[in-house]
């Protein structure tokens, strides 16, 4: 069963083209991508000297709670 919140949004996992991964809550893949791009634009304006990451649209996918936890564990292993 896919991981869904009270607002009816699914948790989408995705990779950054430049490396790494993240997640976003949205009702659809299209909305998930739009949210990430909107946040990316706001971040670029606020922090113009920071690295600008690009979400890999093809990697965006709804996940189960277990898949979400696996991604988090992998992230911890890579950073610790």
């Amino acid at each position: 069963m896919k991981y869904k919140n009270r607002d009816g949004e699914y948790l989408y996992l995705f990779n950054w083209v430049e490396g790494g991964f993240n997640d976003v809550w949205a009702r659809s893949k299209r909305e998930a991508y739009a949210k990430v791009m909107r946040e990316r634009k706001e971040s670029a304006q606020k922090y113009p000297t920071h690295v600008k990451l690009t979400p890999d649209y093809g990697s965006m996918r709804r996940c189960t709670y277990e898949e979400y936890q696996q991604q988090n564990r992998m992230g911890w292993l890579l950073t610790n």
Side-chain angles (χ1 to χ4, degrees), residues 3-43:
Y3 194 26
K4 199 173 186 181
N5 67 16
R6 287 180 169 181
D7 296 326
E9 298 173 315
Y10 292 97
L11 186 60
Y12 282 82
L13 304 179
F14 66 93
N15 298 330
W16 297 106
V17 172
E18 297 80 8
F21 56 87
N22 211 326
D23 57 70
V24 63
W25 290 100
R27 293 182 186 276
S28 68
K29 183 175 179 177
R30 180 181 232 163
E31 181 184 320
Y33 187 75
K35 277 186 171 184
V36 173
M37 292 303 290
R38 195 168 36 254
E39 290 174 13
R40 181 180 177 262
K41 183 178 179 181
E42 291 169 6
S43 177

Side-chain angles (χ1 to χ4, degrees), residues 56-74:
D56 178 357
Y57 183 81
S59 73
M60 286 193 158
R61 65 224 179 259
R62 288 190 285 183
C63 67
T64 64
Y65 182 75
E66 291 74 26
E67 290 167 334
Y68 170 62
Q69 290 301 322
Q70 287 174 346
Q71 177 170 288
N72 286 337
R73 275 193 296 278
M74 187 175 14

Side-chain angles (χ1 to χ4, degrees), residues 39-52:
E39 290 174 13
R40 181 180 177 262
K41 183 178 179 181
E42 291 169 6
S43 177
Q45 290 172 345
K46 192 173 181 178
Y47 307 105
T49 61
H50 290 199
V51 172
K52 291 157 188 66

